[in-house]
Amino acid sequence: MPARAQNPISVVTGGAGFLGSHLTDRLLAEGHCVIAIDNLITGNTANIGHLAGDANYRFIEHNVSDFIFLPEEKIDYVFHFASPASPIDYLELPIPTLKVGALGTHNALGLAKAKTAAFILASTSEVYGDPLVHPQKEDYWGNVNPIGPRGVYDEAKRFAEAMTMAYHRYHRIDTKIVRIFNTYGPRMRLRDGRVVPAFIGQALSGQPLSVFGDGSQTRSFCYVSDLIDGIFKLAVSDFHEPVNLGNPREMTIKQFADEIIRLTGTRATIEFKPLPVDDPKVRQPDISRAKGILDWEPRVRFEEGIKKTIEYFRESLAAPR
Ligand code: NAD
Ligand code: UDP
């Protein structure tokens, strides 16, 4: 394990987002000082409101696709999490998505190099595209349509991985790459279009659940606390190749809709809608690398995580606007 400071300083780009804010909470709990940088393009200050006044926390509103200046002489970790992440977000923001994956990653790596920090890239299972290998292992190179609508996200992340490995090999930066599979939990935006908030929001307001295609496509859902645990373990490891983090429990989207109907007790029905272009047909992480290297595997059972998430959205819907 590389020697790092007792009270490390961590930068979290995308720190006002769903994952960035949970990661920040964990880092603060581990004794880190956290500098969060976010331009709020898809993030929300409500995710970080509880941190106001914390002496170990600083928030900077900034677009990391532009040069990042920080006066600190030494920073210990740079977690690069800034990027639109939901398909409807990156379809609406194709160029900012490409820029933050490319220019933003370059700037964040430059910051890590200047401050001798370790660098952790939030990559994605989308680097595997519509996979022809199942479940997906890290040595699979993927099946991505570079010019399709999802290409702006997939190719930006693939470029980000290539840039990260180049900084590792050429500049000897201590880099890590986490390939995150579908993760859910409190602080997702109700209307970010991802299937977990979409179905729960619809179920709680009595609207039909919008299943795309025939619902036979699969996903594997990981609860946020499990993911953050894996990211923390990876950050303090000395492993530099990509690591899949996700929950291997796979289900079809139709099964997922049925579970949400059952667990919310809604009378809502299912409405089938057209399948988006290039929507991956299957997705399931092979986590043997994370198990072997990080001694990590998810612990939160599906029903437990989903119930917590349903409660979060129930409260958000009841809260005065
Ligand atoms: P999110 O949209 O909630 O958070 C992303 C944050 O990045 C937002 O706060 C947004 O405002 C910020 N951001 C975007 N562009 C920026 C820029 N140019 N400068 C500064 N800030 C910027 O999404 P999330 O689910 O928390 O995803 C976080 C990271 O994890 C992303 O990089 C995403 O690709 C990756 N990821 C997430 C999942 C998942 O299931 N949640 C899966 C795979 C990968
Ligand atoms: N999906 C759906 N209804 C919705 C939103 C998504 O059926 O309202 C499907 C989508 O087509 C995909 C899966 O759910 O097959 C997961 O979609 P999400 O946007 O959460 O993330 P993805 O895994 O595609 O990046």
Side-chain angles (χ1 to χ4, degrees), residues 103-130:
L103 308 179
T105 302
H106 188 214
N107 289 333
L109 279 161
L111 178 72
K113 177 167 159 273
K115 311 289 181 183
T116 339
F119 177 86
I120 300 91
L121 174 70
S123 186
T124 167
S125 52
E126 284 278 328
V127 299
Y128 302 121
D130 189 4

Side-chain angles (χ1 to χ4, degrees), residues 77-309:
Y77 298 91
V78 174
F79 292 87
H80 182 41
F81 277 58
S83 171
S86 121
I88 61 166
D89 285 343
Y90 56 77
L91 296 183
E92 268 172 28
L93 300 163
I95 295 166
T97 301
L98 281 159
K99 285 175 81 171
V100 74
L103 308 179
T105 302
H106 188 214
N107 289 333
L109 279 161
L111 178 72
K113 177 167 159 273
K115 311 289 181 183
T116 339
F119 177 86
I120 300 91
L121 174 70
S123 186
T124 167
S125 52
E126 284 278 328
V127 299
Y128 302 121
D130 189 4
L132 305 176
V133 167
H134 191 69
Q136 293 76 55
K137 276 182 95 144
E138 291 88 346
D139 60 5
Y140 176 48
W141 293 350
N143 177 40
V144 170
N145 173 4
I147 58 162
R150 297 174 86 104
V152 297
Y153 181 67
D154 302 8
E155 295 295 9
K157 291 289 186 180
R158 288 164 68 96
F159 175 90
E161 288 199 6
M163 183 65 107
T164 300
M165 289 310 291
Y167 265 66
H168 174 65
R169 294 196 181 105
Y170 188 76
H171 289 306
R172 310 234 163 260
I173 306 297
D174 176 15
T175 62
K176 345 267 161 156
I177 297 173
V178 49
R179 291 189 180 149
I180 303 169
F181 283 65
N182 296 67
T183 299
Y184 69 95
R187 299 189 194 158
M188 293 185 97
R189 267 173 28 242
L190 190 59
R191 288 181 188 80
D192 86 357
R194 287 186 271 197
V195 71
V196 175
F199 284 3
I200 296 178
Q202 289 160 345
L204 293 179
S205 47
Q207 286 166 15
L209 276 65
S210 53
V211 170
F212 296 162
D214 62 5
S216 62
Q217 70 273 31
T218 69
R219 294 294 185 272
S220 312
F221 297 102
C222 183
Y223 190 65
V224 61
S225 58
D226 279 334
L227 179 86
I228 297 297
D229 203 39
I231 290 172
F232 188 78
K233 286 186 161 175
L234 179 64
V236 297
S237 79
D238 54 8
F239 191 76
H240 306 292
E241 303 273 313
V243 177
N244 288 341
L245 291 182
N247 192 320
R249 186 183 189 278
E250 185 186 20
M251 65 179 84
T252 69
I253 292 302
K254 169 70 170 57
Q255 284 168 339
F256 181 61
D258 291 338
E259 284 295 307
I260 296 298
I261 289 173
R262 182 176 72 81
L263 292 168
T264 54
T266 183
R267 290 202 188 153
T269 52
I270 287 177
E271 186 179 3
F272 291 94
K273 295 204 164 168
L275 190 67
V277 177
D278 294 336
D279 196 292
K281 288 181 263 314
V282 289
R283 185 179 291 155
Q284 182 191 33
D286 179 317
I287 58 165
S288 34
R289 182 174 279 182
K291 275 186 184 164
I293 288 163
L294 308 176
D295 189 24
W296 175 88
E297 62 183 314
R299 305 204 175 279
V300 179
R301 283 178 309 106
F302 174 76
E303 224 174 90
E304 185 189 343
I306 283 292
K307 279 185 179 161
K308 283 188 186 163
T309 311

